[in-house]
Amino acid sequence: MAWRVGRRAGVLAVLAWLGAGCGATDGEAETYVWKLPAGFPTPRVPADNPMTEEKVQLGRRLFFDVRLSRNETQSCASCHDPARAFTEPLVTSQGSTGETHRRNAQGLANVAYATSLTWANPSLTTLEAQALVPLFGKEPVELGFGDREEELLGRLRAVPELAAEFQRAFPEAVEPVSVATLTRALASFQRSLISGNSAYDRYVYGNEVEAMTRQQKRGMELFFSERLECDHCHTGFNFQDATVHEATSEPILPFHNTGLYNEDGQGAYPAEDPGLIELTGRPEDMGRFRAPSLRNVAVTGPYMHDGSLATLSDVLDHYAAGGHARLVSGGETSPLQSGFVRGFTLTEQEREDVLAFLESLTDTEFLTDPRFADPSTTP
Amino acid sequence: MLPFALLGVLGCGDDMEVAIPFEARVGSEPFACGRTYTGVGTTGTTYEPMDLRVYLHDVRLVTAEGTEVPLKLEQDARWQVEGTALLDFADKTGLCTNGTQATNLRITGTAPEGNYTGLRFKLGVPETQNHLDVSTAPSPLNDTSLYWGWRSGYLFTRIEGRTTGLPGGHVMHLGSTDCAPPPEGQTNGTAGCTFGNRPEVALDSFDLASGKVVLDLGALFSGSNLDENAAVPNTSVGCMSQQTDPDCAPVFSRMGLTHRSQEGAPGPQAFIKAE
């Protein structure tokens, strides 16, 4: 909802820094070269943060900078490692002060296309807003700057070359180093993390018939089959239903209960993390989480919102059983779980084929792309 | 919506400047960071302030006949914007390490000349402002320490203090909860929150010339055990407005708000009174 701005300085500051934003820079926004893979639509970018190479480079530098944690022990990359498609091998993450997060760090490949961010939050729909959570969040503490905003900004301003880079990336900003510019630079870098050169892409979009093995092709047939129903949630070019781009007329924000848990026979998830219901209060949202993209999924384990499934083989078992809750305790299907999680039977060969197909979604070039590496070690 | 039509009826004449002072207390004692209060809550615990900041909006003056007239808040580029004000009683001394050294103990604005006998306002930030981008919003809506990143809304109250039983601090954060995803076809904001949690404060006998508004933490916490945190998983130490947190029931009741775990209707608003 837009709200009419008043006429005093506080408002002027907004408008002044928005000088770099909407309206004035339609042409400028087009100067950013996405280098999109074949078959990829142009990502949707907030009007007040058009993509520029300067912002991407600043964001990259900040993403790998431990100064973004209060005790200088962690950067964004500590939990989002490029070599693992910006995930980490921990079951659930640990913050800079040692607090344990209840959730598994999500990958950032193609995050530009995600309708909502994090595992189960319909209100976090931009990377700019999402960045506030690790920076300032206190439950748990991640980077540790909750209530310490000025300390963070002062620290960044005190590094001359960093302050200069902010100035170059946000030439219109009244205050070049601010929460607004920091989050916009981080968001711009993350939007540049496009992955679309896996064996699957070369086969489907690049007409390289030999890019995928015969086994992977058999697995692909199974993945897209009505028997397995995987592609209802892991759908489209990004293998993710919660996808938005420039041509999307009505973005959707889907969340699903996959029957991972059923604590009481009524579908309850553990109280520590009941999913979407925590924010919406709607009973039907119990246990609902966002389906992640499956790109590079072979290197992003462990899996699920709580990292409770160690391998892709475990994930297949979960879906084959019609939900992990039934796998461990038998019994009825959770009344809350998605109708697409019904269970299926695979031969040993078919299992291997599906796993081989998932391997074909690994984009080795993306995992080793120097453009996405720590600039201090890979200039 | 504010009844602007009334201004047409009552306006046109001269406007008068209005300043309304606010004072915070713990029981009968004046509130100050650095002090230690005793006998607070159901266990009579000690309470050492760590933060006390409160948003309010929709301020109305009430005539003897019961007509509400909006008080048009001055836009001072710091504490008041677009009809919303931030009261700040924490001055960065003692355990109050958050926020600013500066405090704000009053609201200022203009209203048509008239004979007013009452004052009404709502706590919190109105829905139209509650889902802004905190990084670019005008002051006082630009403070990340008053913003729930994960709820994409403001903390309407940030009341925190160290108690005997909870040395890490007891929190009372009021805010909107149980918010629906953005409306169909939108990718930001919310289609609405089930629990807006914006308490109405009606001070029916208020003297504009000499009156003040008193926020009493002693009254707010009179039904709360501040030494213990309810052992419900995934709830805060104190109350962060979660419907699943029984610690919210007594404070919500004293703000005149319903809460799932309350028995019966909430009590009348008892946190704020006029003097």
Side-chain angles (χ1 to χ4, degrees):
Chain A
M1 167 123 22
W3 58 300
R4 288 188 32 245
V5 288
R7 58 193 195 289
R8 301 278 174 103
V11 168
L12 291 180
V14 178
L15 295 178
W17 105 260
L18 282 179
C22 22
T25 50
D26 281 355
E28 192 181 305
E30 287 164 13
T31 61
Y32 181 77
V33 183
W34 283 101
K35 300 195 183 81
L36 295 171
F40 274 46
T42 305
R44 182 181 285 193
V45 175
D48 69 356
N49 191 23
M51 291 288 282
T52 67
E53 192 56 36
E54 290 79 9
K55 284 188 218 171
V56 171
Q57 289 309 325
L58 170 61
R60 174 186 167 197
R61 182 172 174 158
L62 293 165
F63 189 89
F64 290 94
D65 194 333
V66 294
R67 282 178 290 226
L68 255 59
S69 62
R70 193 171 179 219
N71 60 11
E72 305 196 35
T73 60
Q74 279 192 347
S75 68
C76 307
S78 302
C79 302
H80 298 283
D81 173 5
R84 299 174 181 272
F86 294 90
T87 63
E88 65 178 339
L90 293 179
V91 172
T92 64
S93 298
Q94 270 217 325
S96 58
T97 59
E99 286 192 28
T100 301
H101 203 295
R102 61 184 174 165
R103 288 181 181 163
N104 175 266
Q106 293 201 281
L108 299 177
N110 300 338
V111 73
Y113 297 106
T115 318
S116 72
L117 287 313
T118 73
W119 278 102
N121 195 326
S123 69
L124 284 178
T125 55
T126 68
L127 287 159
E128 288 81 355
Q130 182 275 331
L132 299 171
V133 178
L135 281 168
F136 300 112
K138 296 171 92 170
E139 294 195 315
V141 171
E142 295 184 59
L143 295 169
F145 278 105
D147 298 324
R148 299 290 174 270
E149 182 189 318
E150 280 310 312
E151 185 182 336
L152 168 63
L153 298 177
R155 181 186 289 184
L156 299 177
R157 286 170 192 149
V159 184
E161 60 272 24
L162 201 51
E165 203 168 332
F166 269 98
Q167 180 79 57
R168 280 196 300 277
F170 298 95
E172 313 274 338
V174 175
E175 173 49 76
V177 183
S178 67
V179 173
T181 57
L182 170 63
T183 56
R184 276 154 185 75
L186 288 169
S188 297
F189 171 63
Q190 291 173 85
R191 287 193 182 100
S192 77
L193 304 175
I194 304 287
S195 171
N197 194 26
S198 63
Y200 166 85
D201 293 295
R202 295 198 302 277
Y203 173 79
V204 172
Y205 299 108
N207 297 319
E208 289 181 41
V209 179
E210 298 305 313
M212 290 173 77
T213 65
R214 270 208 294 278
Q215 182 182 33
Q216 288 173 336
K217 290 173 198 170
R218 289 198 307 268
M220 179 164 67
E221 293 302 314
L222 286 163
F223 180 89
F224 288 107
S225 71
E226 284 299 307
R227 171 151 58 120
L228 269 64
E229 307 269 31
C230 310
D231 70 319
H232 281 282
C233 301
H234 299 291
T235 185
F237 73 96
N238 200 31
F239 294 86
Q240 180 175 33
D241 55 2
T243 291
V244 63
H245 50 80
E246 249 188 355
T248 310
S249 54
E250 288 234 340
I252 56 164
L253 282 156
F255 299 90
H256 312 281
N257 176 317
T258 63
L260 189 64
Y261 299 103
N262 182 0
E263 303 267 284
D264 59 353
Q266 303 303 304
Y269 267 45
E272 290 72 27
D273 197 352
L276 191 64
I277 187 175
E278 186 177 87
L279 293 180
T280 66
R282 301 186 302 201
E284 65 268 31
D285 289 336
M286 170 61 77
R288 284 186 178 169
F289 292 86
R290 187 188 73 158
S293 167
L294 294 187
R295 289 186 162 277
N296 304 293
V297 70
V299 301
T300 63
Y303 303 99
M304 304 294 148
H305 67 275
D306 56 357
S308 57
L309 301 180
T311 66
L312 284 176
S313 187
D314 296 338
V315 176
L316 265 191
D317 290 343
H318 154 59
Y319 287 117
H324 192 259
R326 296 182 72 198
L327 182 67
V328 292
S329 57
E332 292 299 302
T333 299
S334 156
L336 298 177
Q337 79 187 53
S338 163
F340 296 116
V341 181
R342 297 193 314 248
F344 47 77
T345 309
L346 292 175
T347 65
E348 198 49 43
Q349 180 64 57
E350 286 174 325
R351 269 180 63 87
E352 295 303 317
D353 292 351
V354 173
L355 292 172
F357 165 68
L358 294 174
E359 296 271 348
S360 80
L361 297 176
T362 301
D363 176 357
T364 312
E365 187 188 28
F366 176 79
L367 304 181
T368 56
D369 195 323
R371 292 178 303 150
F372 309 145
D374 183 347
S376 69
T377 54
T378 312
Chain B
M1 280 308 294
L2 297 179
F4 278 117
L6 283 174
L7 284 178
V9 181
L10 299 163
C12 304
D14 289 339
D15 277 353
M16 58 178 189
E17 307 246 324
V18 176
I20 298 171
F22 284 72
E23 195 176 293
R25 291 186 201 150
V26 185
S28 57
E29 296 290 313
F31 174 95
C33 293
R35 287 194 52 171
T36 303
Y37 302 92
T38 52
V40 184
T42 57
T43 57
T45 190
T46 57
Y47 190 88
E48 297 170 86
M50 296 166 73
D51 204 338
L52 178 51
R53 288 178 287 168
V54 176
Y55 282 109
L56 58 87
H57 66 286
D58 192 16
V59 185
R60 289 143 286 152
L61 305 177
V62 188
T63 67
E65 297 73 46
T67 308
E68 291 187 352
V69 178
L71 175 67
K72 193 171 186 305
L73 294 189
E74 184 196 343
Q75 306 221 49
D76 62 5
R78 175 65 188 92
W79 301 106
Q80 303 187 157
V81 72
E82 293 277 315
T84 298
L86 175 67
L87 300 170
D88 184 344
F89 301 93
D91 61 2
K92 269 202 144 149
T93 60
L95 300 179
C96 295
T97 52
N98 305 335
T100 57
Q101 217 172 340
T103 56
N104 184 44
L105 311 179
R106 58 174 206 163
I107 57 173
T108 58
T110 53
E113 286 283 359
N115 179 25
Y116 301 107
T117 55
L119 171 70
R120 293 176 193 164
F121 56 86
K122 290 191 179 75
L123 292 187
V125 174
E127 178 62 23
T128 49
Q129 295 176 340
N130 197 33
H131 306 285
L132 299 176
D133 177 347
V134 68
S135 74
T136 58
S139 186
L141 296 170
N142 61 344
D143 190 335
T144 52
S145 72
L146 290 169
Y147 191 77
W148 270 328
W150 45 276
R151 282 204 200 278
S152 303
Y154 290 87
L155 279 70
F156 299 166
T157 69
R158 188 162 177 181
I159 304 170
E160 300 177 10
R162 182 162 76 184
T163 68
T164 310
L166 298 174
H170 172 278
V171 308
M172 199 296 124
H173 294 175
L174 185 67
S176 293
T177 66
D178 293 24
C179 300
E184 206 61 44
Q186 268 190 45
T187 53
N188 54 41
T190 170
C193 301
T194 310
F195 301 96
N197 292 340
R198 296 178 179 89
E200 166 83 357
V201 178
L203 306 173
D204 288 334
S205 173
F206 188 83
D207 184 341
L208 266 191
S210 62
K212 63 183 167 196
V213 182
V214 177
L215 286 68
D216 179 0
L217 298 190
L220 178 65
F221 292 134
S222 63
S224 300
N225 176 348
L226 302 187
D227 281 326
E228 266 182 61
N229 183 46
V232 176
N234 202 30
T235 62
S236 312
V237 179
C239 165
M240 284 198 195
S241 298
Q242 294 158 291
Q243 290 291 319
T244 47
D245 190 347
D247 288 325
C248 288
V251 272
F252 269 46
S253 179
R254 280 152 188 79
M255 289 185 171
L257 293 171
T258 50
H259 187 268
R260 186 193 297 168
S261 61
Q262 277 169 351
E263 290 169 19
Q269 190 284 121
F271 170 35
I272 298 174
K273 61 187 181 191
E275 279 187 9

